[in-house]
Amino acid sequence: ERNLELSFESDVIDKEVYLNASMWEDMIVNILSNSFKFTESGKIQVKIQNESNDQVNVSISDTGIGIPAKDLPLIFDRFYSVKKPKGIYESTGIGLCLVKDLAEIQGATISVNSTL
């Protein structure tokens, strides 16, 4: 049995954001899917925050197993897959590349931070 907490926070109240809802849904679902896949217990948190430059920041964090530093620059490359511990499902290495492509199409950026 997994012991996970999912939380959502937003301070975006009165800002108009123009985006392709279908693309953003694909991006968020893909990232959340990875969080659930690699977090056995703990917390997954989604935050949406106003930025001072008339932009919105969406961050997704989790208490999962983390990503080794050597893999961080490569995780958005097509077909790249971080070596997974036993018991974790294999992946095609397409999802995060798709997320990056969808973000760039919309003029957004994506980045990753990880602590092991």
Side-chain angles (χ1 to χ4, degrees):
E1 183 175 309
R2 294 171 61 156
N3 183 20
L4 284 174
E5 175 187 344
L6 175 63
S7 69
F8 176 82
E9 293 178 35
S10 175
D11 67 3
V12 178
I13 296 171
D14 59 355
K15 186 174 282 194
E16 289 185 22
V17 178
Y18 300 96
L19 52 83
N20 180 308
S22 177
M23 286 184 186
W24 274 88
E25 179 181 359
D26 289 346
M27 293 165 54
I28 300 299
V29 166
N30 191 294
I31 295 169
L32 281 175
S33 173
N34 281 344
S35 287
F36 279 102
K37 187 187 314 183
F38 296 107
T39 305
E40 187 63 30
S41 65
K43 187 173 186 176
I44 298 170
Q45 186 171 37
V46 179
K47 286 185 181 179
I48 302 176
Q49 298 167 303
N50 279 314
E51 295 291 322
S52 60
N53 56 357
D54 209 29
Q55 293 182 344
V56 172
N57 179 47
V58 178
S59 66
I60 299 174
S61 60
D62 62 56
T63 57
I65 61 174
I67 302 167
K70 68 178 182 58
D71 293 311
L72 288 174
L74 304 170
I75 66 164
F76 296 111
D77 291 355
R78 189 170 311 276
F79 304 121
Y80 188 80
S81 184
V82 175
K83 185 176 179 182
K84 294 158 192 67
K86 201 172 193 175
I88 301 286
Y89 300 105
E90 289 298 316
S91 70
T92 61
I94 295 174
L96 291 178
C97 180
L98 174 65
V99 168
K100 181 181 179 212
D101 289 347
L102 292 175
E104 289 175 351
I105 286 169
Q106 298 180 87
T109 58
I110 186 165
S111 63
V112 63
N113 297 308
S114 184
T115 304
L116 293 177

